[in-house]
Amino acid sequence: MTDTIFITGATSGFGRASAVKFAQAGWNVIITGRRKERLTELQEQLPNTVSVHAAELDVRDQEQVADVVQNLPESVRNVKVLLNNAGLALAPVPAQKADLADWHTMIDTNITGLVNVTHALMPTLIGVGAGASIINIGSVAGAWPYPGSHVYGASKAFVEQFSYNLRCDLLGTGVRVSNIAPGMAESEFTLVRTGGDTQAYDKMYGDTDPLQPEDIANQVFYLASLPDHININQLEIMPTRQAWSGFAVDRDQKPAP
Ligand code: NDP
Ligand code: 8X3
């Protein structure tokens, strides 16, 4: 039987690149996201030698998640890999200037949405057993604090700990759980975070070599293709040209802005 991957946030970035990677490798793919036209466009580009099922899905909507999972066509019902990728950062400002609505949107998407989809698909994954995987997309922001990360980084810390905790409970089922924690990667992420600021996009990704969505897709595929007895708990990945900075110190004499 052909293996199937269920991808959240397949309309852009890592999710889209993963759909392409897995479909080209002969997997059936379930592509989901809110933007229907993007799903249609992607579906048309994927090889017709595999089953591709596109479903409009807002991961925040628990009923919609249940509906999509319950109504999967027979050809893609036996989901072997869940890629919990849908997510976003908002409010690139200090916490004290952030909009509370943006905080709620990040929590609803990065935490509640991921939990919704995981809960809905766990029985299927347990049914598949050995070799099945939940692959969560966390972030370096879940482990390393930086200004302006506030709720975004905290939501990704949830993803990391949830991944580890799931492993404890799924022990004995054969289902693997991994957290991928990428650093800077070029996608629509910064456009979403800044409300469409193309200058911020150019500043973020220009004059350096960020990770590309295909780099993350390759890691997702690597995890899914490992022998059944291997579980990589966490993969933290940065561009070679990204590293950490020093501690910040509040001084009486402020440097000129
Ligand atoms: P993109 O903005 O390119 O893609 C984000 C995807 O998430 C889109 O397909 C979007 O689809 C989907 N999405 C957002 N909100 C929802 C929702 N409510 N319901 C369903 N889908 C949703 O960004 P990336 O590919 O970079 O981001 C993918 C993941 O990687 C995110 O979890 C992000 O936090 C994480 N990440 C990104 C890094 C980076 O530097 N780019 C680094 C570390 C982690 P649609 O709008 O159509 O619903
Ligand atoms: C996205 C990476 O460094 O912008 O999760 O937080 S970062």
Side-chain angles (χ1 to χ4, degrees):
M1 199 200 322
T2 307
D3 292 330
T4 298
I5 181 169
F6 186 111
I7 303 173
T8 66
T11 57
S12 173
F14 305 165
R16 188 184 195 287
S18 298
V20 171
K21 175 77 188 175
F22 277 76
Q24 285 178 349
W27 284 58
N28 294 333
V29 294
I30 300 160
I31 51 174
T32 69
R34 291 168 301 175
R35 286 170 289 180
K36 190 179 178 193
E37 68 290 351
R38 291 276 191 108
L39 292 173
T40 306
E41 178 265 336
L42 175 57
Q43 191 165 21
E44 282 164 4
Q45 291 198 16
L46 295 177
N48 56 16
T49 45
V50 297
S51 295
V52 179
H53 175 64
E56 254 182 281
L57 177 63
D58 185 329
V59 292
R60 295 170 296 179
D61 185 334
Q62 187 185 331
E63 281 178 23
Q64 203 182 17
V65 169
D67 189 55
V68 165
V69 170
Q70 275 161 22
N71 290 302
L72 288 173
E74 189 62 40
S75 59
V76 294
R77 195 159 283 177
N78 249 13
V79 174
K80 188 177 182 194
V81 174
L82 164 60
L83 176 58
N84 271 320
N85 162 76
L88 80 178
L90 296 169
V93 292
Q96 57 274 28
K97 293 190 175 161
D99 191 335
L100 182 59
D102 285 342
W103 279 7
H104 281 297
T105 302
M106 287 187 275
I107 293 167
D108 293 347
T109 310
N110 303 351
I111 298 179
T112 307
L114 184 139
V115 162
N116 285 342
V117 182
T118 303
H119 194 270
L121 274 169
M122 248 187 314
T124 306
L125 295 161
I126 291 169
V128 170
S133 303
I134 299 171
I135 302 175
N136 294 326
I137 302 293
S139 169
V140 292
W144 310 105
Y146 64 86
S149 179
H150 38 80
V151 166
Y152 176 68
S155 74
K156 293 302 188 176
F158 173 92
V159 174
E160 178 178 335
Q161 195 61 32
F162 184 54
S163 304
Y164 294 151
N165 291 347
L166 276 177
R167 282 224 63 218
C168 297
D169 291 342
L170 291 172
L171 186 70
T173 66
V175 180
R176 303 178 284 193
V177 187
S178 304
N179 180 45
I180 299 184
M184 181 177 62
E186 186 170 3
S187 67
E188 293 176 13
F189 178 82
T190 293
L191 289 176
V192 171
R193 189 177 215 171
T194 60
D197 184 342
T198 52
Q199 282 184 338
Y201 179 98
D202 291 343
K203 195 174 163 199
M204 176 68 96
Y205 304 121
D207 293 324
T208 189
D209 299 309
L211 298 170
Q212 295 300 321
E214 292 72 22
D215 298 324
I216 302 304
N218 287 340
Q219 298 306 315
V220 175
F221 189 74
Y222 162 71
L223 293 178
S225 310
L226 283 167
D228 295 353
H229 68 285
I230 302 177
N231 191 113
I232 304 263
N233 302 329
Q234 163 124 299
L235 268 183
E236 188 178 82
I237 311 164
M238 277 184 176
T240 307
R241 295 182 70 185
Q242 181 183 30
W244 306 271
S245 195
F247 288 112
V249 179
D250 179 32
R251 298 188 188 281
D252 296 336
Q253 302 291 324
K254 310 281 185 210

